[in-house]
Amino acid sequence: MRLRLLLLLALCQADPAALGRSLSLRGSWRIRSGNGSLELPGRVPGCVHSALLKRGLIQDPYYRFNDLHYRWISLDNWTYSKKFKIPFNISKWQKMNLIFEGVDTVAKVLLNSVPIGRTGNMFKRYSFDITSVVRDVNSLELRFQSPVLYAAQRSKAHTSYSVPPDCPPPVQRGQCHVNFIRKEQSSFSWDWGPSFPTQGIWKDVRIEAYNICHLNYFMFSPVYDNHTQEWNLEIESSFDVVSSKPVSGQVIVAIPKLQTQQTYSIELQPGERTVELFVKINKNVTVETWWPHGHGNQTGYNMTILFKLDGGLSIKKSAKVYFRTVELIEEPIEGSQGLSFYFKINGLPIFLKGSNWIPADSFQDRVTSDLLWLLLQSAVDANMNTLRVWGGGIYEQEEFYRLCDELGIMVWQDFMFACALYPTDRDFLNSVRAEVAHQVRRLKCHPSIIVWGGNNENEAALMMNWYNITPRELHTYIKDYVVLYVKNIRKIVLAEDKTRPFVLSSPTNGAESIKEGWLSLNPYDNNFGDVHFYDYISDCWNWKVFPKARFVSEYGYQSWPSFSTLEKVMQAQCVKTETEFYRRSRSEIVDGQGYTMGALYWQLNDIWQAPSWASLEYGGKWKMLHYFARHFFAPLLPVGFEDQDVFFIYGVSDLRSDCEVKLTVRVHTWSSLEPLCSSETERFVLKAGTAVLLYKESVPVFLKNCGNCTRQSCVVSFYLSTDSQLVSPANYHFLSSLSESVGLHKAHVTAIISQQGDTFAFDLETSAVAPFVWLDVGSIPGRFSDNGFLMTEKTRTVLFYPWKPTSKSELEQCFRVTSLMDVD
């Protein structure tokens, strides 16, 4: 699987080696401190922290209080240098460029001691003309400025008015003025991550040499024509023509499996030129569309583009093309104020279920393809179909989006602005415009990206007055907001990409915010757009505290990593209760609110080992919440809840077709493994894409008819099935707080481990009903088929899927099982 992924053809960008000559400058560099007292080897891509760690000059930055002890690293001005020889005759090439795909962040670039340019944006691609400076043997230097000191200087220079917040809360132990530098915002600290403002060359660097003309990039967008009901492909190619006269030729576009091949004549005038092609897909061939996970296949088609130009130049590019449409539906709802807010993929309304993605490490050179695959596959394994790439991190690497394309993970892609106001001076806006144009061009061909988001929580920050702005000053910041997100970012996105929607912020009231002048008086209005919801005071086991919103793009609860059982139970159960509430609200309006069509909890992954909202620990180990997510995001799910002493069960379906099932409801006493009573419905049809009421019963009557159970002595479980097999996870409902339970005994759970091919079977046996049974194999990497479950039967088999080779004896040695009654 990994080998196949690594061999995939590049999706969006031109291969630099396809025309002319290319020299990679990756690999070994030298790094020295500002005063020259420290010099060491480093790697590119990489950063100063990683180089210091590799040489043993610092300990693990994540250990104890090293985020404080190593502040000196980010406060110094480091220099990257490299001596290299050009392995070809430079006199034979009309133009040579030095290309940086990513520099972190503020640096002066010198080639052979000649300044050739500056960098100041981590998210931009830089190209410097070095034709007149390059030699056979060269020395290249990047003289970095401390990002912390640079941000402070830019803030100080902004004298007309302050741009809050100045600093993060003291508890975060972070650095100040991150909103004045175009760098990963969370690198200055966040409430779930440390402050490690890195310096370095974090992406590819190379030299490109060419004659006549050079293909800078090509990008494409599949477009569906609703009138003719045909697919077309819009292709845009950018050339640097260094010839003194026009360059003519042909372009041949071929998609063999769609029996499509078209030839075009082009003529390129000298200078920077763009060629736009419109390819009609053969209408006699059925185009298979790309679908999100759980709704269909992720079919893609291999495409080749051949440019045959004057002078014998031939440029051939390959890419994979996926066809899909996406619409954001905001329209009136009968019986409700406000507007809907949901996504249609290929014309089908889809409930977005998933989580929020943050950077997988403070040091991006440690984020490998294998780690990305592990984290994203874990999302799919938990029945997720969506991740929101949060706006305080980074635009992720190509591998991230390639994997999302292949796995069917929809991406809500924020631009990198979060929880802050931002300056709008000329230099800042110029940098942002280049950043946005580059990122949209780089990423627009990925079908996984279904929406662009302008920022994270900045509409709410401004309109809910997080920064105590006086009414007299508010118009200044509103103007800046509109300038940055509407007149610049939105304008560029709509010009560059017409295939997916753009929302200004998250949360936002969407069309209503636009109607109110781009910012809404109440960005948390449940009748519009998306909401973020956090409440650590109310009872999170009570569904009535949650907003019955159109779309919930952030919500969650903190927990410790795997060494604390009780915190895991609270986080998992709270998010379960909240998510099930959102899922059962998809088809109903209650008191004017409902039609919820998205639930993205905060957050999927961790940036380091710490208590956080994540369901995956740093490195990928599943917390109890992630096992719960696999159930509460299941395609078919029965959801139970109470309201005024009445017990309800809803059936929720994310399937694309109706299914015939029956509902089974069982009652156990805490003191017995034998069901006290059981009932099942007649078979019924659960319609696709709906949430409907299946069962309703008065709790006192229900308990009386089941052997005079009490709330404290009994627990309810329920599931959907066909005649022959379970088609949903077994769900449960606690009739009282577990602290008040009667008859709950400490369970003795044992396991016999056996190997079955590449997996291991854990045959469990319990002496009593056991809530929140938790299986752990220590540091052995892998996941269980289920965990954190309510065990009401005497025996149960759970599978373990190792991520690396292991053995039965190793598992037996590390295995530990606990349940709720083992917690003191």
Side-chain angles (χ1 to χ4, degrees):
M1 173 69 174
R2 303 303 308 129
L3 181 61
R4 183 175 66 84
L5 287 173
L6 292 172
L7 290 175
L8 276 176
L9 296 171
L11 280 175
C12 296
Q13 295 184 336
D15 176 3
L19 181 65
R21 295 296 298 268
S22 180
L23 173 65
S24 174
L25 298 180
R26 296 168 67 105
S28 299
W29 285 60
R30 299 293 297 176
I31 302 174
R32 68 175 182 271
S33 60
N35 62 9
S37 62
L38 181 59
E39 185 168 346
L40 67 153
R43 301 288 298 177
V44 169
C47 68
V48 174
H49 287 79
S50 295
L52 291 168
L53 178 62
K54 186 171 184 179
R55 298 297 292 179
L57 296 172
I58 61 172
Q59 294 178 307
D60 180 355
Y62 288 169
Y63 180 70
R64 291 181 63 81
F65 302 110
N66 283 346
D67 57 326
L68 296 180
H69 296 157
Y70 297 150
R71 284 191 174 221
W72 59 271
I73 301 171
S74 62
L75 295 173
D76 204 348
N77 300 319
W78 297 86
T79 295
Y80 270 65
S81 62
K82 184 180 183 71
K83 292 189 184 334
F84 61 94
K85 184 177 181 180
I86 303 290
F88 48 83
N89 187 343
I90 62 175
S91 65
K92 291 185 176 181
W93 302 97
Q94 290 176 275
K95 190 166 183 181
M96 294 181 69
N97 288 335
L98 175 61
I99 309 292
F100 292 95
E101 295 294 343
V103 177
D104 181 15
T105 294
V106 181
K108 183 178 181 181
V109 185
L110 299 95
L111 182 63
N112 301 323
S113 301
V114 177
I116 59 170
R118 293 179 177 273
T119 68
N121 188 321
M122 182 179 181
F123 309 123
K124 277 174 58 177
R125 177 183 187 266
Y126 288 90
S127 178
F128 302 113
D129 185 346
I130 59 171
T131 311
S132 62
V133 182
V134 71
R135 304 171 187 162
D136 292 331
V137 179
N138 301 271
S139 64
L140 176 60
E141 277 194 345
L142 274 74
R143 296 177 183 172
F144 285 90
Q145 182 179 355
S146 160
V148 177
L149 300 182
Y150 171 85
Q153 289 171 6
R154 297 301 298 174
S155 173
K156 187 177 180 180
H158 196 281
T159 56
S160 51
Y161 54 92
S162 65
V163 184
D166 288 335
C167 301
V171 70
Q172 291 179 204
R173 307 187 302 203
Q175 300 285 9
C176 301
H177 308 300
V178 70
N179 49 341
F180 277 87
I181 183 171
R182 291 311 299 144
K183 176 177 172 59
E184 177 187 331
Q185 301 287 273
S186 58
S187 69
F188 277 43
S189 84
W190 218 261
D191 53 7
W192 37 255
S195 176
F196 285 114
T198 45
Q199 295 176 51
I201 304 170
W202 74 295
K203 289 193 173 186
D204 189 38
V205 54
R206 64 187 180 273
I207 288 174
E208 294 179 347
Y210 51 94
N211 294 324
I212 304 176
C213 76
H214 176 68
L215 178 63
N216 293 326
Y217 66 82
F218 85 95
M219 56 189 184
F220 52 88
S221 299
V223 178
Y224 187 70
D225 188 325
N226 284 306
H227 179 68
T228 62
Q229 296 187 328
E230 293 175 0
W231 283 100
N232 303 301
L233 195 63
E234 295 179 355
I235 300 176
E236 182 178 307
S237 306
S238 171
F239 290 89
D240 180 18
V241 182
V242 294
S243 169
S244 60
K245 57 184 181 180
V247 178
S248 300
Q250 288 186 323
V251 187
I252 303 168
V253 180
I255 308 175
K257 284 198 172 180
L258 294 179
Q259 299 175 27
T260 295
Q261 178 167 317
Q262 294 181 28
T263 302
Y264 307 81
S265 296
I266 62 171
E267 182 174 271
L268 302 171
Q269 299 296 325
E272 296 283 338
R273 297 296 174 222
T274 299
V275 173
E276 296 180 351
L277 304 175
F278 189 76
V279 181
K280 284 184 170 292
I281 304 301
N282 188 336
K283 61 183 180 181
N284 297 319
V285 179
T286 300
V287 176
E288 293 186 33
T289 49
W290 180 95
W291 287 97
H293 173 64
H295 292 275
N297 297 325
Q298 291 76 51
T299 303
Y301 296 91
N302 291 326
M303 173 179 70
T304 60
I305 302 179
L306 177 62
F307 298 89
K308 299 174 71 174
L309 305 174
D310 291 345
L313 295 180
S314 180
I315 313 169
K316 187 174 184 180
K317 300 299 168 194
S318 299
K320 183 159 276 189
V321 184
Y322 298 88
F323 296 86
R324 68 101 185 86
T325 62
V326 55
E327 304 165 83
L328 173 56
I329 307 299
E330 296 180 89
E331 60 188 14
I333 301 170
E334 186 177 349
S336 174
Q337 294 181 342
L339 301 170
S340 66
F341 191 90
Y342 68 92
F343 293 87
K344 280 185 177 180
I345 306 297
N346 302 324
L348 178 71
I350 291 183
F351 190 105
L352 272 58
K353 51 188 183 182
S355 191
N356 285 260
W357 174 274
I358 65 169
D361 204 293
S362 293
F363 313 107
Q364 279 297 309
D365 51 291
R366 304 205 300 204
V367 181
T368 64
S369 297
D370 287 340
L371 176 61
L372 288 175
W373 179 84
L374 178 63
L375 296 173
L376 295 174
Q377 183 65 51
S378 290
V380 167
D381 288 343
N383 290 308
M384 298 183 187
N385 62 24
T386 307
L387 290 175
R388 173 171 169 253
V389 177
W390 168 78
I394 62 167
Y395 307 95
E396 280 295 332
Q397 57 180 274
E398 282 297 311
E399 184 76 352
F400 175 90
Y401 300 100
R402 257 199 304 273
L403 286 166
C404 288
D405 293 343
E406 291 203 337
L407 294 170
I409 299 173
M410 292 178 284
V411 174
W412 176 313
Q413 178 65 56
D414 278 356
F415 289 95
M416 295 300 123
F417 302 85
C419 298
L421 307 183
Y422 290 87
T424 56
D425 57 86
R426 185 185 63 184
D427 288 347
F428 189 87
L429 288 178
N430 285 341
S431 182
V432 167
R433 281 195 289 266
E435 166 192 329
V436 171
H438 169 62
Q439 294 297 340
V440 173
R441 289 169 183 168
R442 181 174 78 94
L443 299 176
K444 64 183 281 188
C445 66
H446 291 282
S448 52
I449 299 176
I450 63 162
V451 60
W452 301 108
N455 65 73
N456 173 76
E457 298 187 341
N458 293 343
E459 180 182 348
L462 193 52
M463 302 310 289
M464 307 306 286
N465 203 13
W466 292 5
Y467 308 121
N468 299 313
I469 295 169
T470 65
R472 180 170 51 87
E473 298 171 313
L474 185 59
H475 76 280
T476 298
Y477 298 101
I478 289 178
K479 180 183 176 183
D480 280 356
Y481 183 95
V482 173
V483 166
L484 178 58
Y485 299 112
V486 180
K487 296 183 178 180
N488 283 279
I489 295 176
R490 180 178 183 270
K491 183 179 179 181
I492 292 169
V493 173
L494 295 184
E496 293 284 348
D497 182 12
K498 298 177 177 63
T499 67
R500 50 177 66 82
F502 173 84
V503 295
L504 274 184
S505 187
S506 178
T508 183
N509 287 349
E512 176 63 19
S513 289
I514 295 174
K515 183 181 175 182
E516 293 182 39
W518 305 107
L519 296 107
S520 181
L521 287 174
N522 176 22
Y524 290 98
D525 192 329
N526 292 337
N527 294 305
F528 300 94
D530 66 319
V531 302
H532 295 184
F533 179 78
Y534 296 95
D535 181 350
Y536 305 122
I537 299 173
S538 304
D539 177 8
C540 65
W541 291 34
N542 175 13
W543 59 269
K544 293 185 178 181
V545 306
F546 307 129
K548 206 171 184 70
R550 308 297 189 209
F551 194 109
V552 190
S553 49
E554 278 193 31
Y555 61 98
Y557 299 86
Q558 274 189 309
S559 77
W560 288 89
S562 53
F563 48 77
S564 173
T565 302
L566 186 58
E567 291 289 344
K568 288 185 307 188
V569 169
M570 285 301 299
Q571 179 197 36
Q573 188 65 28
C574 289
V575 178
K576 172 185 186 292
T577 304
E578 188 166 353
T579 306
E580 290 182 346
F581 169 69
Y582 298 141
R583 290 197 67 192
R584 67 177 168 86
S585 299
R586 70 174 290 167
S587 302
E588 68 179 11
I589 295 291
V590 178
D591 296 329
Q593 295 187 342
Y595 279 14
T596 308
M597 284 297 286
L600 309 179
Y601 67 76
W602 186 270
Q603 67 210 60
L604 180 76
N605 56 313
D606 260 330
I607 199 168
W608 70 335
Q609 314 92 326
S612 83
W613 293 258
S615 63
L616 296 175
E617 294 182 17
Y618 176 70
K621 185 174 182 179
W622 288 30
K623 289 187 186 179
M624 190 179 289
L625 170 57
H626 208 78
Y627 286 103
F628 273 43
R630 192 163 183 268
H631 290 302
F632 62 60
F633 281 146
L636 281 176
L637 183 69
V639 176
F641 65 99
E642 281 188 58
D643 189 16
Q644 298 181 342
D645 253 6
V646 177
F647 179 53
F648 300 85
I649 299 178
Y650 274 51
V652 180
S653 171
D654 284 332
L655 300 180
R656 290 183 60 181
S657 56
D658 300 346
C659 61
E660 193 174 83
V661 293
K662 61 182 177 181
L663 171 70
T664 300
V665 182
R666 288 180 175 174
V667 178
H668 277 81
T669 62
W670 287 117
S671 58
S672 173
L673 289 164
E674 293 298 322
L676 190 62
C677 56
S678 178
S679 64
E680 64 181 37
T681 65
E682 296 291 326
R683 290 165 65 97
F684 59 90
V685 174
L686 183 55
K687 289 195 172 294
T690 61
V692 295
L693 178 64
L694 304 180
Y695 181 93
K696 178 180 178 182
E697 184 66 87
S698 161
V699 175
V701 172
F702 174 76
L703 294 176
K704 184 178 180 182
N705 292 339
C706 194
N708 287 318
C709 255
T710 68
R711 284 184 172 275
Q712 292 75 25
S713 66
C714 288
V715 61
V716 185
S717 62
F718 41 93
Y719 56 87
L720 299 172
S721 66
T722 60
D723 285 334
S724 57
Q725 69 181 96
L726 209 67
V727 293
S728 80
N731 211 339
Y732 54 84
H733 176 68
F734 297 132
L735 295 162
S736 70
S737 167
L738 290 176
S739 62
E740 301 170 354
S741 62
V742 174
L744 185 58
H745 303 300
K746 186 168 183 175
H748 180 61
V749 183
T750 59
I752 297 174
I753 305 174
S754 60
Q755 187 165 1
Q756 299 180 353
D758 293 332
T759 64
F760 294 84
F762 286 64
D763 293 312
L764 306 177
E765 185 171 327
T766 182
S767 61
V769 173
F772 304 111
V773 174
W774 182 249
L775 313 178
D776 198 289
V777 288
S779 60
I780 298 175
R783 73 165 180 90
F784 290 94
S785 57
D786 199 5
N787 216 342
F789 47 83
L790 172 68
M791 192 166 179
T792 57
E793 64 276 26
K794 188 173 182 62
T795 61
R796 180 171 184 167
T797 298
V798 176
L799 300 179
F800 179 73
Y801 305 102
W803 293 332
K804 290 181 180 177
T806 187
S807 64
K808 174 185 170 183
S809 60
E810 189 177 13
L811 288 168
E812 287 173 338
Q813 191 172 2
C814 297
F815 177 66
R816 183 169 177 259
V817 58
T818 56
S819 64
L820 185 68
M821 296 301 285
D822 295 309
V823 179
D824 295 328

